[in-house]
Amino acid sequence: MGFKMGIVGLPNVGKSTLFNALTRTAAAQAANFPFCTIEPNIGEVAVPDTRLDKLADIARSKQIIPTRMTFVDIAGLVKGASKGEGLGNQFLANIREVDAIAHVLRCFEDGDVTHVEGRVDPVADAETIETELMLADIESIEKRLQTIVRKVRGGDKEAVQQEKLLKAALAVLEEGKPAREVDVDDDDLRAWKLLQLLTTKPVLYVCNVGEADAATGNSHSRKVAEMAAVQGNAHVVISAQIEEEISQLATDDAAMFLDEMGLSEAGLDRLIQAGYSLLNLETYFTVGPKEARAWTIRSGTSAPKAAGVIHGDFEKGFIRAETISYADYVSLGGETAAKEAGKMRSEGKSYVVSDGDVLHFLFNT
């Protein structure tokens, strides 16, 4: 089950520098001019989880396989993108393909790095991109409403449902609000997702600060925090420059560097974890002498669906799941001890997997 987070923002806010740090590669050219990223760069990164290392140590697993998240570095947006300005059309097409948006905002002062608007105002930058996405959604909705008129008149149920949802989204957008503020009934959720409106994507604001502000943030990042709180969105404070430097260091050297900077953990770890939370994701584990592996699921996933993440046949032929909580597995020292202590449960098809569950699936072939 793959999840994609798009890294977006105005030109020269640090998107590509952040992407380089995330993927520990130089795949995305970081340069001081707009549109240095022409094609979206894609990189998969491991989701940090100390629990996996602990489980592997207990089980003496030969291999450790973390769960992964995909990040997409998307070309910089400018005002007028909804009308095709800059690389607008390409930007909008690329952003439709991601599950969530990591919106990088410039929260640092640097006269050597140009800003397309000639000033540092992260809240205004956020509003610029949000406005362009809303304008693009409005245009898309108006076109779709025109194309389904005949089907609606003919009583086509899907078209009628689509029209209702499109009009609800349009009403909110015309009030200057993103489509994610539409209150959608459970029966309409599937059709709503199929609309793929840009402003339904959950947003994580990434405040890119200078090295000196990495630990505490600054006045710019605090304004972003206030904006995010009002919107109900999340935010993290990161120095992309520091993160790129850390990504090139050995583990011990990186830990020492973080300590010198007054940071308890890498900002990228917080970014990935925040993205994981933003997408409402959880992790379960499969553990044995061969490998310890983390698997990604959405919160509220049933045991058969969770099994299907490993292989479709596991879901089709699901019998039951042998389940041990992470806490019990660790405190008792492994599967055998947990089983002897009566902490291994046999769960059926209705079981909803909990974050941290250690699972073994039984299924018919």
Side-chain angles (χ1 to χ4, degrees):
M1 184 178 291
F3 297 93
K4 289 184 179 181
M5 177 165 282
I7 302 176
V8 307
L10 294 174
N12 296 346
V13 297
K15 300 184 311 302
S16 294
T17 301
L18 184 63
F19 179 83
N20 288 341
L22 275 165
T23 58
R24 288 174 169 78
T25 70
Q29 178 192 12
N32 182 28
F33 57 90
F35 314 127
C36 65
T37 305
I38 305 302
E39 294 295 334
N41 294 280
I42 300 175
E44 284 196 344
V45 296
V47 175
D49 196 327
T50 56
R51 296 176 299 179
L52 182 60
D53 295 324
K54 185 67 175 178
L55 292 170
D57 183 55
I58 292 172
R60 297 182 181 178
S61 305
K62 292 181 179 179
Q63 190 175 14
I64 298 176
I65 306 176
T67 189
R68 306 184 76 80
M69 179 176 287
T70 299
F71 283 86
V72 183
D73 179 24
I74 300 174
L77 185 72
V78 295
K79 189 177 293 185
S82 60
K83 300 299 181 182
E85 293 293 326
L87 297 171
N89 292 331
Q90 187 171 330
F91 174 97
L92 297 171
N94 292 333
I95 204 172
R96 290 189 196 281
E97 303 302 316
V98 301
D99 299 300
I101 298 170
H103 188 161
V104 183
L105 297 170
R106 177 172 172 170
C107 295
F108 63 89
E109 302 281 352
D110 188 339
D112 293 329
V113 181
T114 60
H115 188 290
V116 290
E117 297 292 339
R119 46 88 180 118
V120 177
D121 187 341
V123 172
D125 289 353
E127 290 172 350
T128 294
I129 286 192
E130 188 83 297
T131 297
E132 293 302 326
L133 296 182
M134 288 192 289
L135 290 172
D137 274 346
I138 289 173
E139 183 178 351
S140 172
I141 290 172
E142 289 175 342
K143 288 180 179 178
R144 293 191 213 185
L145 287 172
Q146 292 175 5
T147 61
I148 62 173
V149 169
R150 290 185 180 179
K151 288 186 177 181
V152 171
R153 289 175 179 170
D156 183 285
K157 289 185 179 179
E158 287 187 7
V160 170
Q161 182 186 39
Q162 191 177 29
E163 182 189 48
K164 179 186 71 172
L165 294 174
L166 288 170
K167 286 185 174 180
L170 184 60
V172 167
L173 288 162
E174 288 180 337
E175 292 177 1
K177 300 176 183 177
R180 58 181 155 299
E181 294 198 13
V182 174
D183 187 15
V184 182
D185 294 334
D186 290 343
D187 294 340
D188 293 326
L189 282 176
R190 184 174 179 279
W192 176 252
K193 290 178 181 178
L194 290 174
L195 295 180
Q196 284 193 305
L197 297 175
L198 300 173
T199 59
T200 59
K201 311 281 185 183
V203 175
L204 169 66
Y205 292 117
V206 182
C207 302
N208 184 17
V209 300
E211 290 190 16
D213 299 322
T216 59
N218 56 28
S219 59
H220 293 307
S221 65
R222 285 188 281 276
K223 288 179 181 177
V224 174
E226 292 172 4
M227 173 184 66
V230 170
Q231 296 175 350
N233 288 323
H235 82 286
V236 292
V237 176
I238 283 179
S239 171
Q241 186 175 355
I242 286 180
E243 298 303 323
E244 189 171 35
E245 291 176 17
I246 291 173
S247 71
Q248 307 303 319
L249 299 175
T251 303
D252 291 342
D253 292 336
M256 187 180 301
F257 183 77
L258 284 170
D259 186 57
E260 290 175 356
M261 297 299 297
L263 300 169
S264 59
E265 62 178 336
L268 293 183
D269 287 355
R270 288 185 286 106
L271 170 60
I272 296 168
Q273 290 161 357
Y276 210 64
S277 176
L278 181 70
L279 289 167
N280 200 27
L281 305 179
E282 292 183 346
T283 300
Y284 76 83
F285 304 100
T286 53
V287 184
K290 183 179 179 181
E291 66 177 35
R293 185 162 184 165
W295 302 89
T296 300
I297 55 173
R298 290 198 183 278
S299 178
T301 297
S302 67
K305 291 289 184 183
V309 173
I310 299 177
H311 196 288
D313 289 345
F314 284 27
E315 180 179 357
K316 293 176 184 177
F318 180 89
I319 299 174
R320 67 179 184 275
E322 293 179 341
T323 310
I324 305 171
S325 73
Y326 170 79
D328 287 337
Y329 192 102
V330 172
S331 65
L332 294 168
E335 180 179 322
T336 301
K339 189 174 184 178
E340 291 174 351
K343 295 298 183 179
M344 176 183 281
R345 311 184 311 275
S346 182
E347 302 287 0
K349 293 182 179 180
S350 62
Y351 177 67
V352 175
V353 176
S354 295
D355 184 56
D357 276 354
V358 179
L359 300 174
H360 175 67
F361 297 107
L362 284 79
F363 63 99
N364 286 317
T365 56

